[in-house]
Amino acid sequence: MHATGAAVAVETEEPLSLGYDAATKNDCEFNKDFRHCFTTVDDVQMHYVVGGEGSQVMVLLHGWPQSWYEYREVMHTLLPGRTVIAIDLPGMGDSTGTPPSMARSVLATYIHRLLNQLGHHENVQVVAHDFGAGVAYALAAQYREQVAGLFLMDYALVGKNMKAADFTSMSWHFSFNQQHPLAEELVTGHVGTFLTHFFQSMKTGFGDPVSEHELAEFVRVFSRPQVLHAGFELYRVWPQDEAENAVFQKTPLTIPVHLLSQAGLTPLALPTFQDAAPKATGSDVPGAGHFLVHEAPDRVLAEINAFYPAS
């Protein structure tokens, strides 16, 4: 299935986030095939990275506490036959401006409008991790003609059967990140310490869940006050997501949906997506943790290409 809408030549804007290319300005491989772009959608200047000229459009959506950069090491391999667009979610990464809410339905509307401005109205392949998977579901549920399928990584969907309250005790940061304004007050000025501790707490037998240069980039973007706040807000709006998803789930998705999870999570997470897409499939990555793109890139790429065969 291919994106039928022709791409529109959108002139990139002057970036409001001046450090946007800190991790890529000396990356010759990246700069050969990809470019940073900025387009304002409503009150947010959206930052996204684009590469390739293929007829099939693939959109990559990141999780917390990351940015588009979580996909840096696999993006080149995804290029053949595709146009690849890695987006910083509204309020996060090098996107600038504050959306009215960090609810997944709201963030999805920004993604929808950005893709429309770029001319991608139909049959977009979506790959998403963590909270990006929640945004991806809200995009598909609200704008069904735009999405060809959902390839999702390591996320459970609140809604009809999974409740927001179920998450609070699952990890220390689920509770901490919801504390307002305490989380911002404690972490501001200590982002490096906070993220280093967080990623180390997620370490598995695969080694560190992110590389040193990835950690440095995530510390940079989360040191932007708006991004730190927006990231914590992702956790605070779970009750709204629960209510909205329960409504969305009344009209099941018919597009293909596949969930790739860390070791042992599929029995918990897959049924939450089958509430939304009854034919959704899922599998684990043995021994892996939450950060699958870094920990098991070959498996992730193989699964993406099997789910979305390149033309």
Side-chain angles (χ1 to χ4, degrees):
M1 219 186 245
H2 299 286
T4 56
V8 175
V10 176
E11 185 174 349
T12 186
E13 302 167 0
E14 285 294 316
L16 297 177
S17 179
L18 300 182
Y20 70 91
D21 62 348
T24 60
K25 60 185 175 183
N26 297 319
D27 185 340
C28 295
E29 181 187 44
F30 171 88
N31 290 307
K32 178 171 65 73
D33 292 320
F34 290 94
R35 64 192 183 278
H36 294 273
C37 296
F38 297 85
T39 298
T40 295
V41 176
D42 294 337
D43 50 352
V44 175
Q45 186 186 66
M46 298 286 291
H47 170 241
Y48 52 102
V49 168
V50 181
E53 298 178 350
S55 59
Q56 179 59 63
V57 176
M58 177 175 283
V59 166
L60 311 178
L61 301 178
H62 65 87
W64 182 92
Q66 297 177 286
S67 68
W68 77 269
Y69 198 67
E70 79 163 281
Y71 294 103
R72 165 66 188 88
E73 297 304 320
V74 300
M75 287 167 61
H76 279 86
T77 307
L78 294 172
L79 281 179
R82 300 182 176 118
T83 296
V84 175
I85 308 173
I87 301 174
D88 275 340
L89 295 177
M92 303 191 73
D94 286 293
S95 292
T96 299
T98 304
S101 168
M102 293 301 287
R104 263 47 90 187
S105 61
V106 174
L107 303 186
T109 296
Y110 280 87
I111 303 298
H112 162 70
R113 292 175 179 169
L114 173 64
L115 292 174
N116 279 352
Q117 287 194 42
L118 300 179
H120 306 310
H121 303 280
E122 297 179 301
N123 299 327
V124 173
Q125 297 176 343
V126 179
V127 173
H129 173 232
D130 189 71
F131 279 114
V135 177
Y137 170 64
L139 178 69
Q142 294 177 102
Y143 308 104
R144 294 175 180 246
E145 75 289 344
Q146 195 161 41
V147 179
L150 298 177
F151 181 91
L152 310 173
M153 289 177 284
D154 220 55
Y155 190 72
L157 192 70
V158 296
K160 183 169 63 176
N161 289 314
M162 175 66 78
K163 304 304 179 183
D166 298 337
F167 279 106
T168 302
S169 63
M170 293 179 67
S171 177
W172 66 269
H173 73 285
F174 289 171
S175 178
F176 176 82
N177 290 4
Q178 293 182 51
Q179 306 309 308
H180 181 267
L182 181 65
E184 286 90 338
E185 291 177 354
L186 291 178
V187 177
T188 297
H190 306 283
V191 173
T193 300
F194 176 68
L195 291 187
T196 298
H197 174 77
F198 170 75
F199 284 117
Q200 286 299 312
S201 75
M202 305 288 278
K203 191 172 182 177
T204 68
F206 277 59
D208 291 330
V210 296
S211 66
E212 288 186 10
H213 64 267
E214 287 171 324
L215 175 60
E217 175 65 358
F218 301 145
V219 169
R220 180 188 70 80
V221 294
F222 278 89
S223 295
R224 304 180 70 205
Q226 67 148 90
V227 175
L228 186 66
H229 174 69
F232 291 143
E233 284 292 306
L234 288 170
Y235 291 82
R236 297 166 183 162
V237 297
W238 257 330
Q240 181 177 343
D241 288 341
E242 178 188 318
E244 292 179 341
N245 287 346
V247 175
F248 294 153
Q249 288 169 342
K250 293 179 180 179
T251 308
L253 296 181
T254 57
I255 57 173
V257 177
H258 183 72
L259 177 68
L260 186 66
S261 299
Q262 64 177 288
L265 188 66
T266 300
L268 169 69
L270 180 58
T272 71
F273 281 98
Q274 290 173 333
D275 288 340
K279 295 183 179 180
T281 59
S283 57
D284 281 5
V285 180
H290 179 62
F291 297 96
L292 296 171
V293 176
H294 178 82
E295 296 179 54
D298 292 342
R299 172 69 183 275
V300 169
L301 285 166
E303 294 249 1
I304 291 173
N305 285 320
F307 187 72
Y308 295 129
S311 58

